Amino acid sequence: MGRQKTIVILKKLIFITLLLVFQTIGFGQTTLSGAVSDSNGSLYSVSVTIKDTLSNRIISYTYSDNNGNYKLVAQNQGQFNMVFNALGYKTKIVPLVLDEGQHNKTINVLLEEQPFTLDEVVIKSERAIVIKKDTITFKTKFFTKGNEQTVEDLLKIIPGLTVDSEGTIKVGNKEIEKLMIDGDDLFEKGYKILSKNMPAYPIEEVEVLQNYSNNHLLKSIEESDKVALNLKLNDKSKRIWFGNLEANVGNDSFYQYKANLMNFGKKNKYYFLANANSIGYNATGDIQQLIKPFRFNQPASIGDNQSVGNLIGLSDSDSNFKKERTNFNNAELVSLNAIFNPSDKLKIKTLGFFNWDETSFFRNQVDNITTNTNSFTNTEDYKLDNKRQLAFGKLDFIYKPSKTKMLESTTKYNNGNYNNDANLVFNGVSTLQNLEQNNTFFDQKINYTNKFIDKKVLLLTGRFITEKKPQNYTINQFLYQDLFPEYNTANNVFQVSNNQMQFVGVNAHILDRKSNGHLLELQLGNQFREDKLNTSFTLLEDNVSLHQPIDYQNQTKYQVNDLYFKSKYRIKLDNIAFSGNLEAHQLFNTLRSNNTSTQQTPFYINPSLGAEWTINSNNKILTTYTYNTTNANVLDVYSDYVLTGFRSFSKGTNTFNQLKASSMMLNYQLGNWANRFFANTLVLYTKNHDFLSTNTLINQNYTQSQKTLIKDSQFLTINTKFDYYFKFMSSNVKLDLGYTKNEFKNVVNNSNLRTVVSSNYNYGLELRSAFKGVFNYHLGTAWTTNKIETFANSKFTNNQSFLDLNFIFSKKFDAKVKTERYHFGSLDTDNTYYFLDFETQYKLIDKKLTLGITGKNLFDTKRYTSFSISDLGSSTTEVRLLPRMLLLRAEYRF
């Protein structure tokens, strides 16, 4: 009955929300503009706000410019007050009635001076939100509710900011570049380490930096739409050592321990953190974003896209649930970070990161495979144990000899050791797998910036990267009797692989911002990469080597030298901008494979065109067209088969390939992320004129796949997001609609070339309250439909819903309740699952000692079963979940 009640409540709330959304689709918007002046002329920096007449809540706000003019947008109708406020003048209130038919309204006001005297009195005017050019400042005390524990919790309640279930922070629809503390950045794109661990209480202001430049000398010169966040600390948290200790202990030996130690001075900053837990919590986020942050096509980003791929990876996750529900872990994390300023010209940043983790993953799976020649069913009972040791260090030197010059040096070193043991019962046969791998990564980057003339900058960048990923893979069964019938006494196999890369790149980049606003960019550079891929596959009887099949060994050396010139020009004509980009690449390719060597010197040009139309402050259209040629990488061109899983072999093309594609993008934005209403629609279409597909031979015990060049595939994605604030219910509604279609071709079991069409539909909505009282809620639901069309069609729909309730009973006591419902389509039974979590805390000693209780998976759901489809058939997967846990929590601040 409890579950049925939950479903009924969710359905009612969703139905009401849908009605409200659809009723408001037709709402118009009114643009309000005018001038503010006094008896002597125009007034600048006058606060202009629209307030609801009932709740006195601020609906929209702006400030008059240097000429006394202002403009803002109201997204709804009704009765309001328009308030004009400036220091030294009487506040002026203008009653305002907005009707649906109104689109523009002009209101000019004359402010009356209000003389005052100061007698040892300090007058301060504090606003919740302050806008200065490209910086929007949020005073946290106006938004916090007192139950925020980490920076991540704090950012979730800042208007316009969103934090997803994995910790990714977005402003509107754009992910942030970095998360800084008092203007200094430690973690770059790996900011989740900071947001997931640093306590929220020292943060006084959150600054949103729009049109952000990673290089301050490029500010107002480069064309940037990047955003970053800066956390400003309160005065009590500066120039002193402070932090917190937290302990969580629970049933069945579940635990989590946290520690933060910080000192943020004017010259030096220190931030040390530690986390140990067995509750499935990932305290690091995406660790690769810390080690290898990727910035596409940005100044001084040469080498960001260089890495070595793994030949073999044993799966330890499932995308249907939050990873922390399936992550049986025992993790320890220590991070030591510091910033030193020995002088005004020199800044030194150090970062040390150490992570130890032991995880387990449990999965049962049934695969139903249907091809043109055969059909069969495979069963897998799978348990994976992973052990990981990772150490990462980073050293930055930033030297500024003058206000117009800067020299930056970044050195990184990473070493990771992984030992994976998989116990797999495949079709009733016990199979043990072991994968040992090591990753060694060194990266040295030097960048020199010279702003030699105002609005003209020269960047010189050099980079050297070396990376190695050796892997040893063993299987204690021999499943390939049909492939090697003459070795019927073999009972295990062993593969050694060594994949390594060296990269050297240099780049000269000139940015020239013209007096009329046009921007010219020129780049000249050279990138050289050498890959070595060596693999050895051996059939064994016990510990005795029987055979090394000749077609299953690789000795590949692949060199690519790219000499390039890039030019880009952006023309801005009033509210319309056009851009053109032309890249010329001369490649020198060398492929040495198993004692044979070939060379190639292709030349190609990549053009692109773009247009941006800013209709007004709330309407913007962006479109681009790109024709792109890419060069194949080493995992595309190796010559012989490689074992890539316990029953799969893969083979490259053994030849050079340059792949051509065209893409078109159209984006329409209505409003902006800080407005009451915001909508964004993106359409992206890509046509691959040629692409690397597969020719696959599928048998019950093994598959062999070879890459092959095929003409024409296409990809289409459409996504629309709506964000609207309902003042009458103090709640925000988000609507997300999406459609993706991928059409490609492949060959299976020597059939004719077949076309595969994969379609995905997603539609969902969220409703989040912003009450000032005891209670707040956040609910949402999302449906996902997947469809595959080949010679047989398959389709299924999944649904995920949630309802979160927040209660703040007093300044000392608060509680959170989280519920989730998952429904998996195409399953006859056991297709709906419910979860209930809660968290409560009591401030025993204000700002010192807090006690709490946390409960997770209170329904004690042991496992779940989901359904998936592919162009080869369908799979039913059962995954084990972390059991019910209750944790007692104590946090001490010092």
Side-chain angles (χ1 to χ4, degrees):
M1 288 299 294
R3 292 186 176 183
Q4 291 177 349
K5 263 188 178 178
T6 303
I7 296 172
V8 171
I9 293 171
L10 279 173
K11 285 183 177 179
K12 286 183 178 179
L13 289 171
I14 291 166
F15 178 71
I16 292 171
T17 305
L18 281 171
L19 283 179
L20 292 172
V21 172
F22 292 134
Q23 285 175 358
T24 26
I25 286 178
F27 280 13
Q29 63 179 21
T30 303
T31 300
L32 300 163
S33 60
V36 186
S37 60
D38 64 2
S39 57
N40 297 318
S42 61
L43 294 174
Y44 67 94
S45 195
V46 176
S47 168
V48 185
T49 58
I50 299 177
K51 294 186 177 182
D52 180 72
T53 55
L54 296 177
S55 65
N56 207 34
R57 188 181 189 280
I58 295 176
I59 303 303
S60 187
Y61 58 89
T62 188
Y63 298 91
S64 61
D65 61 21
N66 291 333
N67 298 317
N69 299 318
Y70 72 90
K71 180 186 286 186
L72 49 75
V73 175
Q75 299 287 351
N76 58 315
Q77 292 78 45
Q79 295 183 350
F80 306 93
N81 286 328
M82 201 166 184
V83 182
F84 298 83
N85 202 332
L87 190 65
Y89 294 86
K90 291 182 179 180
T91 298
K92 190 175 187 65
I93 301 176
V94 179
L96 185 65
V97 178
L98 299 179
D99 299 323
E100 189 172 348
Q102 289 180 304
H103 297 291
N104 295 282
K105 193 175 183 69
T106 302
I107 299 176
N108 299 318
V109 298
L110 182 69
L111 298 187
E112 182 182 347
E113 291 189 29
Q114 186 180 38
F116 60 90
T117 59
L118 297 179
D119 185 14
E120 296 183 359
V121 175
V122 177
I123 296 178
K124 292 185 178 180
S125 177
E126 191 169 18
R127 301 164 180 156
I129 304 173
V130 179
I131 303 176
K132 291 183 179 179
K133 295 184 179 180
D134 291 334
T135 302
I136 301 178
T137 302
F138 296 87
K139 301 291 182 68
T140 59
K141 69 179 182 180
F142 291 98
F143 304 96
T144 54
K145 296 178 173 60
N147 60 345
E148 300 82 12
Q149 296 182 28
T150 64
V151 167
E152 184 174 278
D153 296 333
L154 172 64
L155 297 179
K156 287 179 180 179
I157 61 174
I158 299 297
L161 273 62
T162 58
V163 183
D164 67 16
S165 60
E166 300 301 321
T168 300
I169 303 170
K170 293 185 178 181
V171 177
N173 293 322
K174 188 176 295 295
E175 184 181 357
I176 65 171
E177 282 289 301
K178 57 182 64 171
L179 182 61
M180 298 178 284
I181 304 175
D182 279 348
D184 281 314
D185 171 49
L186 282 165
F187 300 102
E188 296 184 278
K189 282 282 190 176
Y191 59 79
K192 294 177 186 177
I193 295 178
L194 177 68
S195 60
K196 286 177 172 291
N197 293 282
M198 183 176 176
Y201 64 86
I203 311 303
E204 184 174 68
E205 296 178 357
V206 175
E207 290 184 334
V208 179
L209 310 178
Q210 304 179 102
N211 304 319
Y212 180 76
S213 294
N214 286 300
N215 186 332
H216 75 279
L217 292 177
L218 299 181
K219 182 66 176 177
S220 74
I221 297 178
E222 70 167 325
E223 195 65 33
S224 171
D225 62 351
K226 299 185 288 290
V227 289
L229 296 183
N230 181 39
L231 308 177
K232 298 187 74 173
L233 305 179
N234 56 48
D235 289 336
K236 294 183 296 184
S237 301
K238 294 180 179 180
R239 297 173 295 277
I240 64 168
W241 286 99
F242 72 99
N244 69 323
L245 299 172
E246 181 181 322
N248 298 261
V249 293
N251 61 299
D252 298 331
S253 301
F254 287 118
Y255 70 90
Q256 178 171 224
Y257 303 108
K258 294 182 181 180
N260 290 273
L261 178 62
M262 297 157 276
N263 188 319
F264 300 106
K266 186 175 181 180
K267 278 190 169 291
N268 301 328
K269 293 182 172 68
Y270 306 91
Y271 178 43
F272 307 144
L273 66 97
N275 184 294
N277 79 89
S278 65
I279 61 173
Y281 181 68
N282 180 8
T284 67
D286 184 0
I287 192 63
Q288 289 303 312
Q289 289 285 5
L290 175 66
I291 301 171
K292 303 175 185 176
F294 177 58
R295 296 185 173 95
F296 176 72
N297 205 25
Q298 294 187 26
S301 62
I302 183 173
D304 275 10
N305 59 343
Q306 304 297 319
S307 64
V308 173
N310 289 323
L311 290 175
I312 303 174
L314 300 183
S315 174
D316 63 347
S317 63
D318 186 272
S319 61
N320 290 307
F321 278 81
K322 298 176 182 176
K323 186 175 175 61
E324 63 184 71
R325 293 208 184 275
T326 62
N327 186 31
F328 292 77
N329 73 323
N330 184 13
E332 293 89 32
L333 159 70
V334 175
S335 186
L336 309 174
N337 317 284
I339 297 176
F340 305 98
N341 291 273
S343 69
D344 293 337
K345 295 182 178 182
L346 179 63
K347 176 176 290 188
I348 303 172
K349 299 181 183 180
T350 63
L351 185 153
F353 175 87
F354 308 92
N355 183 217
W356 303 266
D357 202 357
E358 297 179 2
T359 63
S360 296
F361 179 73
F362 305 86
R363 182 190 69 211
N364 296 329
Q365 185 166 307
V366 178
D367 296 321
N368 295 298
I369 307 299
T370 302
T371 70
N372 58 318
T373 59
N374 58 359
S375 298
F376 54 86
T377 297
N378 282 337
T379 62
E380 297 181 14
D381 187 352
Y382 180 77
K383 178 191 176 185
L384 177 65
D385 293 314
N386 288 340
K387 293 182 180 180
R388 179 179 71 180
Q389 296 180 355
L390 191 150
F392 172 71
K394 179 184 173 188
L395 180 63
D396 289 341
F397 289 93
I398 303 172
Y399 179 62
K400 301 176 183 178
S402 69
K403 293 183 178 180
T404 60
K405 297 178 182 179
M406 181 171 63
L407 180 65
E408 300 171 279
S409 171
T410 300
T411 306
K412 299 178 184 178
Y413 178 78
N414 174 70
N415 184 272
N417 291 291
Y418 308 84
N419 193 322
N420 307 325
D421 289 305
N423 189 342
L424 170 68
V425 179
F426 176 67
N427 290 339
V429 178
S430 177
T431 303
L432 300 178
Q433 304 172 65
N434 176 260
L435 175 62
E436 294 180 358
Q437 54 184 339
N438 178 265
N439 176 221
T440 304
F441 173 77
F442 176 80
D443 180 4
Q444 176 64 60
K445 178 181 177 181
I446 297 177
N447 184 60
Y448 173 72
T449 308
N450 183 3
K451 194 175 182 179
F452 56 93
I453 301 177
D454 188 38
K455 302 295 184 179
K456 293 179 175 60
V457 176
L458 169 66
L459 289 90
L460 299 175
T461 307
R463 194 164 189 176
F464 171 75
I465 303 173
T466 180
E467 185 173 13
K468 298 179 181 180
K469 283 190 175 181
Q471 293 184 316
N472 295 335
Y473 182 49
T474 61
I475 307 174
N476 76 333
Q477 290 288 347
F478 184 65
L479 303 173
Y480 323 116
Q481 289 86 355
D482 293 340
L483 271 178
F484 312 105
E486 63 273 29
Y487 297 98
N488 54 15
T489 60
N491 55 20
N492 67 100
V493 297
F494 176 56
Q495 178 174 278
V496 177
S497 62
N498 187 17
N499 192 2
Q500 63 184 54
M501 171 271 291
Q502 283 191 345
F503 170 85
V504 179
V506 292
N507 185 78
H509 189 177
I510 291 179
L511 295 93
D512 182 4
R513 177 70 73 173
K514 307 294 184 181
S515 58
N516 55 11
H518 300 174
L519 177 63
L520 171 66
E521 294 187 57
L522 300 174
Q523 292 187 63
L524 178 65
N526 190 86
Q527 299 183 54
F528 174 79
R529 171 167 170 158
E530 179 181 86
D531 287 274
K532 294 180 181 179
L533 176 62
N534 300 323
T535 68
S536 175
F537 177 67
T538 306
L539 311 182
L540 299 100
E541 181 179 5
D542 298 327
N543 295 322
V544 178
S545 174
L546 296 180
H547 184 52
Q548 291 186 324
I550 190 171
D551 293 333
Y552 295 78
Q553 321 297 318
N554 283 277
Q555 299 290 325
T556 301
K557 186 176 182 180
Y558 186 47
Q559 295 177 332
V560 176
N561 192 86
D562 180 9
L563 177 64
Y564 61 85
F565 174 76
K566 301 180 181 181
S567 62
K568 183 177 182 180
Y569 198 78
R570 187 176 189 271
I571 301 173
K572 194 171 190 315
L573 304 172
D574 195 19
N575 60 345
I576 299 179
F578 299 96
S579 61
N581 189 18
L582 196 66
E583 299 182 5
H585 294 262
Q586 175 63 64
L587 300 187
F588 302 90
N589 294 338
T590 302
L591 176 62
R592 296 183 178 90
S593 182
N594 297 340
N595 299 320
T596 62
S597 178
T598 55
Q599 294 182 338
Q600 182 195 44
T601 57
F603 174 81
Y604 59 82
I605 294 177
N606 289 340
S608 66
L609 295 171
E612 181 181 318
W613 182 20
T614 305
I615 302 171
N616 54 43
S617 60
N618 290 290
N619 289 271
K620 186 176 179 181
I621 297 175
L622 177 67
T623 182
T624 60
Y625 169 79
T626 302
Y627 183 85
N628 194 50
T629 302
T630 57
N631 196 47
N633 62 51
V634 68
L635 294 184
D636 297 324
V637 302
Y638 63 91
S639 60
D640 291 313
Y641 286 106
V642 170
L643 189 63
T644 56
F646 82 97
R647 55 181 296 270
S648 59
F649 295 89
S650 180
K651 182 179 181 180
T653 61
N654 195 30
T655 187
F656 301 108
N657 289 286
Q658 285 78 47
L659 309 177
K660 297 175 174 59
S662 301
S663 71
M664 290 170 283
M665 185 273 290
L666 176 65
N667 188 85
Y668 172 65
Q669 180 178 308
L670 176 60
N672 62 68
W673 62 270
N675 286 352
R676 182 177 173 186
F677 176 72
F678 175 69
N680 191 83
T681 297
L682 173 68
V683 180
L684 176 63
Y685 174 77
T686 300
K687 174 80 170 182
N688 294 301
H689 305 292
D690 40 32
F691 69 103
L692 289 177
S693 185
T694 55
N695 183 347
T696 305
L697 179 65
I698 299 178
N699 289 291
Q700 186 162 16
N701 286 342
Y702 69 90
T703 65
Q704 280 189 318
S705 180
Q706 181 176 357
K707 291 189 176 182
T708 180
L709 189 66
I710 296 178
K711 298 291 184 182
D712 296 334
S713 73
Q714 52 188 343
F715 173 83
L716 172 67
T717 182
I718 304 172
N719 182 257
T720 297
K721 297 180 184 293
F722 296 94
D723 196 327
Y724 189 86
Y725 181 80
F726 291 93
K727 69 180 183 65
F728 73 90
M729 57 190 296
S730 297
S731 297
N732 195 75
V733 172
K734 292 185 179 182
L735 184 64
D736 191 350
L737 307 172
Y739 169 73
T740 300
K741 181 180 179 181
N742 188 14
E743 182 178 316
F744 60 95
K745 302 171 184 177
N746 61 18
V747 177
V748 175
N749 286 352
N750 299 317
S751 65
N752 294 325
L753 193 64
R754 64 178 194 160
T755 300
V756 180
V757 179
S758 172
S759 303
N760 175 279
Y761 310 82
N762 66 276
Y763 26 96
L765 62 88
E766 291 185 30
L767 185 63
R768 183 193 290 270
S769 68
F771 303 145
K772 295 182 179 179
V774 173
F775 166 73
N776 273 282
Y777 66 87
H778 182 201
L779 66 87
T781 186
W783 290 268
T784 304
T785 298
N786 293 280
K787 184 179 181 182
I788 296 285
E789 299 175 68
T790 54
F791 62 89
N793 297 338
S794 302
K795 181 181 178 181
F796 72 95
T797 299
N798 292 340
N799 172 250
Q800 177 183 349
S801 302
F802 67 89
L803 174 62
D804 298 344
L805 306 175
N806 291 334
F807 302 91
I808 301 179
F809 301 105
S810 68
K811 291 183 178 180
K812 286 183 172 289
F813 182 51
D814 60 76
K816 299 177 184 178
V817 178
K818 298 183 178 182
T819 65
E820 294 175 354
R821 175 187 181 271
Y822 296 85
H823 176 83
F824 297 107
S826 297
L827 295 173
D828 296 330
T829 59
D830 295 332
N831 59 354
T832 304
Y833 302 89
Y834 297 86
F835 295 90
L836 175 62
D837 304 332
F838 81 90
E839 184 177 328
T840 183
Q841 62 178 4
Y842 180 77
K843 297 179 176 67
L844 188 64
I845 303 176
D846 189 36
K847 299 180 181 179
K848 281 292 183 181
L849 180 62
T850 300
L851 304 179
I853 302 175
T854 301
K856 295 188 177 186
N857 192 11
L858 296 186
F859 294 147
D860 201 21
T861 304
K862 303 291 187 184
R863 56 188 70 220
Y864 75 93
T865 304
S866 63
F867 183 80
S868 62
I869 55 178
S870 71
D871 62 308
L872 299 174
S874 63
S875 296
T876 301
T877 304
E878 182 184 74
V879 173
R880 190 188 301 182
L881 302 171
L882 285 166
R884 177 194 296 127
M885 65 178 75
L886 288 173
L887 300 166
L888 300 179
R889 171 176 169 260
E891 181 199 7
Y892 177 72
R893 300 178 185 178
F894 56 89

